[in-house]
Amino acid sequence: MAKPTKETIPTLLVKNIPREIVMGIEEALSVGSQRAYTAARGMDDGHLSSVVGQLRHFHMNESFQRALAVGDASPSPLRGNQIVTGRAGVFTLARFNIKEGIWINGRRSQTRRQMSMANAAIEQLVQPELFADYMPPSEAVAFFVACFAGSLHIQPESPVSIQIAVPDRHMQGWLFRESINAFIKRYDQKPVTMQDDLAMPKLKKNIGKQDKDGTSQ
């Protein structure tokens, strides 16, 4: 039988990705989105959504790359439509944008699907194998996902939410997905340690004995 592990996807993320990098990326993606919307102002409504989408890609890639550089996360260079990646601990970090609720769009990139193959090693933290022990991974992938409203009439200048997401190896499902606002709180959580209860209850002497008159002492 496989030995159980206390490791989880969230604890693995917290252990490898410093809080400062997560917070820096959250701010950077918001700033990049705002710059993209500002740059698109004045464009014809007929292709405004397409223009905003393209500008989001370039501006958010730039801001993401800078945040990785500030966090010493070894960012890849900016090259056209290529995915920008960084490194923190065992995790390769990347990003993409989606319309809120349409997570399947993340699979459109063949590069992202290839990157996700590294997560085979941590799938066991969600679906343990009966006869295989968990081995700490040397490689894994996490994405920062900016979720936008489906219409430019609703909050067009910034994401509705920014989430950190860890896909399965085929990028067909998510081993872990959580908003950055909720995830940041995990850094303040102290690990729970189990302590043996060494207290030994003692009964009072003579308890339950009765006097001759039948009253208890």
Side-chain angles (χ1 to χ4, degrees):
M1 293 289 290
K3 296 179 181 178
T5 177
K6 295 181 180 179
E7 189 76 273
T8 65
I9 301 289
T11 59
L12 192 64
L13 288 165
V14 168
K15 190 185 303 181
N16 283 272
I17 309 175
R19 180 204 299 254
E20 292 73 20
I21 289 180
V22 176
M23 295 178 67
I25 289 174
E26 179 186 32
E27 181 179 3
L29 296 183
S30 294
V31 169
S33 172
Q34 291 168 0
R35 288 175 178 169
Y37 182 70
T38 299
R41 285 180 179 173
M43 301 300 293
D44 190 274
D45 287 346
H47 60 197
L48 181 59
S49 61
S50 297
V51 173
V52 171
Q54 291 185 19
L55 289 176
R56 280 173 181 167
H57 170 78
F58 292 112
H59 280 282
M60 293 174 76
N61 259 8
E62 282 193 2
S63 58
F64 181 63
Q65 204 245 17
R66 289 171 186 155
L68 293 172
V70 170
D72 292 325
S74 304
S76 61
L78 292 166
R79 288 201 182 100
N81 288 323
Q82 289 188 12
I83 292 175
V84 175
T85 63
R87 181 81 176 190
V90 302
F91 280 96
T92 295
L93 309 177
R95 58 156 292 274
F96 62 90
N97 298 338
I98 63 166
K99 289 184 179 179
E100 191 177 25
I102 311 179
W103 281 78
I104 192 67
N105 286 356
R107 297 190 67 245
R108 289 181 177 177
S109 166
Q110 183 177 356
T111 301
R112 283 196 290 265
R113 293 200 303 271
Q114 290 175 341
M115 291 170 60
S116 297
M117 292 297 293
N119 285 350
I122 59 175
E123 285 182 355
Q124 192 174 343
L125 295 177
V126 177
Q127 296 177 329
E129 295 183 15
L130 188 61
F131 298 107
D133 289 335
Y134 167 72
M135 298 293 293
S138 58
E139 298 279 344
V141 173
F143 293 100
F144 289 85
V145 184
C147 307
F148 289 91
S151 170
L152 286 180
H153 298 294
I154 304 174
Q155 198 174 321
E157 74 285 351
S158 60
V160 175
S161 69
I162 299 175
Q163 302 194 34
I164 186 168
V166 179
D168 63 25
R169 76 180 83 182
H170 302 298
M171 211 174 182
Q172 293 179 338
W174 301 94
L175 304 177
F176 175 77
R177 202 177 81 187
E178 189 169 71
S179 71
I180 296 299
N181 289 337
F183 181 73
I184 286 293
K185 297 176 183 178
R186 294 182 179 275
Y187 289 92
D188 297 321
Q189 296 175 0
K190 296 181 179 179
V192 178
T193 57
M194 300 299 293
Q195 185 174 358
D196 293 334
D197 186 2
L198 302 178
M200 297 293 291
K202 293 183 178 180
L203 296 176
K204 292 182 179 180
K205 293 182 177 180
N206 300 324
I207 190 167
K209 288 186 178 181
Q210 295 182 336
D211 289 336
K212 292 180 181 179
D213 59 3
T215 60
S216 297
Q217 294 181 358

